[in-house]
Amino acid sequence: KQVIFLNFVYNPFAIPVHRKSVGVGLCFQSGNLIDRVFNTYSLMHTYQTVEFVNQKHTEWNGCNHTRMGMMDAIMSLDQLVDESDPDVDFPNSFHAFQTAEGIRQEHPDKEWFQLVGLIHDVGKIMALWDEPQWAVVGDTFPVGCKFQNSIVFRNNTFLKNPDDNNPKYNTEFGIYEPNCGLDNVLMSWGHDEYLYRVMKFNKCLIPEEGLYMIRFHSFYPWHSHGDYMHLCNDKDLKMLPWVKEFNKFDLYTKTTDLPDVNNLKVYYRSLIDKYCPGVLQW
């Protein structure tokens, strides 16, 4: 199998089977989903701008789209196949239970952590409400400052993004102050930020460590490549090991050995009732 390093070479026939960091690049192997993945990222990197992200915050942060319990939201993901995911090609609800069970095995004393594993991708429900997948799925990155080289497909997908040529936005700090903290940084819009906003709006009881996992688990340039540290404050650095710990289960529980979801629902309903009870506003 051919192996390339994405930060240096783009091969249209290469696809990551497992997203392992090797040196400063990502190890990719050949596969057959690359056209779908590359197209999703091309659209994302063209249209995710400061203006677009602010527009999406206005549109979604009010959580006035529907009312639904968390388990129903999880199971609705059966209708969705993530167009940015090169590892697997089955519905997201299976990945939710796989991730949660992986965490449960290694962290049996941390119920909130297990629940985060279950719900971390639920923000992808936006794709079922007519949001294009390039504004829902995939890796995230800050807007309003220089797009770093560790962003997937960085070299050839930002050419039409107006912010990349705007001197207000294309410097190392852009619109931000040094060590301003990720709370003050506009991330590309997607399921991470949306679910975080839903958790805050509904006053769910997941601790700050879990909220960071939800909000930044797709921020690979940060937690896997060490970029954007110049924007981080002490709180971000304290939370980074938790995001890294979560990432182990998010990536390496994706297998075709699918869990018995019906048998697991009883246990995970009890966690939902404890941390995200009742009918939530989305």
Side-chain angles (χ1 to χ4, degrees):
K1 295 182 178 180
Q2 183 179 16
V3 177
I4 66 169
F5 294 96
L6 181 59
N7 288 352
F8 303 107
V9 180
Y10 168 63
N11 181 328
F13 302 102
I15 187 166
V17 175
H18 289 294
R19 196 166 181 165
K20 296 180 180 178
S21 292
V22 180
V24 294
L26 291 174
C27 182
F28 276 56
Q29 296 179 339
S30 58
N32 59 4
L33 300 177
I34 192 62
D35 288 343
R36 184 184 77 182
V37 175
F38 184 72
N39 182 64
T40 299
Y41 277 107
S42 293
L43 292 169
M44 179 194 305
H45 294 169
T46 297
Y47 296 113
Q48 290 271 5
T49 62
V50 170
E51 181 180 7
F52 175 81
V53 171
N54 281 322
Q55 173 190 333
K56 290 302 166 183
H57 277 275
T58 300
E59 183 176 344
W60 290 98
N61 287 1
C63 296
N64 55 6
H65 287 75
T66 194
R67 292 168 55 83
M68 186 186 307
M70 181 58 76
M71 186 61 78
D72 288 337
I74 293 166
M75 299 314 299
S76 73
L77 296 182
D78 276 339
Q79 305 170 57
L80 174 69
V81 174
D82 185 335
E83 293 177 356
S84 74
D85 193 336
D87 291 324
V88 292
D89 200 14
F90 52 77
N92 269 256
S93 67
F94 289 105
H95 170 56
F97 284 95
Q98 287 174 334
T99 305
E101 283 293 279
I103 294 169
R104 184 181 178 188
Q105 183 174 355
E106 289 202 31
H107 298 279
D109 59 328
K110 293 182 174 63
E111 293 179 338
W112 62 266
F113 194 0
Q114 299 162 27
L115 181 62
V116 167
L118 184 72
I119 70 174
H120 72 281
D121 276 345
V122 172
K124 292 178 182 179
I125 199 170
M126 287 189 294
L128 305 180
W129 300 331
D130 298 325
E131 194 68 66
Q133 286 216 19
W134 56 263
V136 176
V137 302
D139 296 5
T140 58
F141 50 90
V143 296
C145 62
K146 180 182 177 181
F147 301 123
Q148 298 291 332
N149 289 335
S150 60
I151 299 174
V152 64
F153 300 123
R154 169 64 179 99
N155 290 339
N156 53 357
T157 54
F158 283 92
L159 300 177
K160 297 181 181 179
N161 187 310
D163 288 2
D164 198 28
N165 296 309
N166 187 332
K168 181 180 179 180
Y169 300 135
N170 65 8
T171 63
E172 199 74 9
F173 287 98
I175 61 177
Y176 307 113
E177 297 294 328
N179 307 116
C180 61
L182 295 180
D183 279 339
N184 298 306
V185 171
L186 275 177
M187 299 296 297
S188 57
W189 181 255
H191 68 283
D192 296 42
E193 185 70 24
Y194 174 56
L195 183 60
Y196 169 77
R197 297 288 174 172
V198 170
M199 295 292 98
K200 298 291 283 187
F201 188 91
N202 288 278
K203 297 180 171 60
C204 294
L205 301 177
I206 293 171
E208 190 69 14
E209 295 86 349
L211 294 177
Y212 256 71
M213 295 171 184
I214 288 170
R215 195 178 193 182
F216 298 115
H217 69 270
S218 301
F219 188 10
Y220 283 88
W222 177 54
H223 64 65
S224 294
H225 293 277
D227 273 340
Y228 297 102
M229 290 298 178
H230 56 291
L231 301 179
C232 293
N233 59 18
D234 290 342
K235 178 183 176 183
D236 301 322
L237 299 180
K238 182 180 178 181
M239 293 294 165
L240 179 56
W242 286 101
V243 179
K244 286 177 174 287
E245 179 66 10
F246 172 80
N247 185 246
K248 295 190 310 188
F249 302 99
D250 187 19
L251 286 182
Y252 302 120
T253 55
K254 293 180 181 178
T255 73
T256 54
D257 183 15
L258 302 182
D260 187 341
V261 169
N262 288 330
N263 283 339
L264 295 174
K265 276 186 178 180
V266 174
Y267 175 72
Y268 286 104
R269 281 188 191 279
S270 71
L271 301 190
I272 289 171
D273 291 343
K274 184 174 181 179
Y275 293 96
C276 305
V279 177
L280 306 178
Q281 291 183 239
W282 297 83

